[in-house]
Amino acid sequence: MKKIVTLTINKEHYEVAVEPNRTLADLLRYDLGLTGTKKGCDTGDCGACTVVLDGDVVNSCLVLALQADNTTIETIEGLSNEDGLHPLQEAFVEKGAIQCGFCTPGMIMSAKNLLDKNGNPSDTEIREGLSGNLCRCTGYTKIFEAVSSQCSDNQGGSNE
Ligand code: FES
Ligand code: FES
């Protein structure tokens, strides 16, 4: 039997009726049309479905929609605005950190959450912050460079 969940997603208020076994990833993609959040494995292994829930990154394929009741969620759709892409998105483009793009939304949400919590992470902290996100295309170096370029006092170089 469906139940109503109330969520704030990218600063918009939603009330949605969901089945008890509906995941947050499926709620976002199939009920709300927020298809920027990807599903690569559905088992918590790839990070493609990463969103920020109440300030922390989660694999949305492992969160039931009912568990997300009364939470605040940020997805990749919330990063850009009428002025254009978020600087982190721009950095991914400029550094060539996107190939097929499938990992990119989750990767950027993890990176943004990392930088929101620590504006100047070390190289190790960047690698740890992205460790839950798999990419089969880029070899990670350009992704690392893109995130590193957004550190507050490290415009593209090493800070370790
Ligand atoms: S789809 Fe959720 S971790 Fe892979
Ligand atoms: S760019 Fe293809 S999986 Fe990362």
Side-chain angles (χ1 to χ4, degrees), residues 42-72:
D42 233 2
T43 53
D45 293 314
C46 74
C49 65
T50 301
V51 300
V52 177
L53 187 152
D54 283 345
D56 289 313
V57 287
V58 296
N59 289 326
S60 61
C61 71
L62 296 184
V63 177
L64 290 173
L66 291 179
Q67 293 175 301
D69 192 22
N70 293 314
T71 61
T72 297

Side-chain angles (χ1 to χ4, degrees), residues 75-156:
T75 72
I76 192 72
E77 287 89 351
L79 265 61
S80 58
N81 58 33
E82 61 275 5
D83 295 328
L85 294 176
H86 185 281
L88 194 50
Q89 293 174 302
E90 293 278 11
F92 268 63
V93 173
E94 286 169 12
K95 297 288 183 183
I98 304 169
Q99 288 188 27
C100 82
F102 198 84
C103 71
T104 308
M107 198 71 81
I108 288 179
M109 295 314 293
S110 289
K112 180 175 182 296
N113 189 249
L114 172 71
L115 292 167
D116 283 348
K117 290 180 171 175
N118 175 7
N120 194 35
S122 67
D123 290 359
T124 299
E125 287 169 333
I126 293 173
R127 291 196 171 94
E128 285 175 355
L130 301 180
S131 62
N133 295 81
L134 303 184
C135 175
R136 62 190 297 173
C137 303
T138 65
Y140 300 99
T141 300
K142 291 177 185 300
I143 291 172
F144 173 84
E145 289 174 359
V147 178
S148 182
S149 75
Q150 298 304 298
C151 294
S152 57
D153 61 7
N154 179 31
Q155 298 300 304

